Amino acid sequence: MGIYSYVDKLKVGLQQIMAGARRFGLNNISRKDLMSLTEECTKVTGIPYVMDAYREEAEAILNG
């Protein structure tokens, strides 16, 4: 029962991430669609920190 609950929570979390990224298939999602919420996670995974992800794109929009 515990494994089922864990896998179900993992499935729902993945569905939410995919919906937020507007990617509706596992083959469409990439590491660029993800962000790390802590700097430690960034060091371990290499996925950009939330404050650095898409920084260049945001600055380009703000600078016009």
Side-chain angles (χ1 to χ4, degrees):
M1 188 67 185
I3 293 174
Y4 174 80
S5 295
Y6 176 76
V7 171
D8 188 54
K9 289 181 188 242
L10 186 64
K11 178 188 84 165
V12 170
L14 186 57
Q15 286 174 335
Q16 290 175 347
I17 289 171
M18 291 171 60
R22 299 289 189 241
R23 311 282 184 183
F24 298 105
L26 282 178
N27 57 341
N28 296 330
I29 199 162
S30 69
R31 291 175 65 89
K32 184 155 173 54
D33 297 320
L34 303 175
M35 296 176 228
S36 295
L37 295 179
T38 64
E39 292 178 357
E40 182 180 0
C41 181
T42 297
K43 291 175 187 173
V44 171
T45 63
I47 296 172
Y49 183 55
V50 68
M51 296 302 291
D52 297 328
Y54 300 109
R55 177 182 296 272
E56 293 155 3
E57 291 89 343
E59 288 177 351
I61 292 169
L62 291 174
N63 293 330

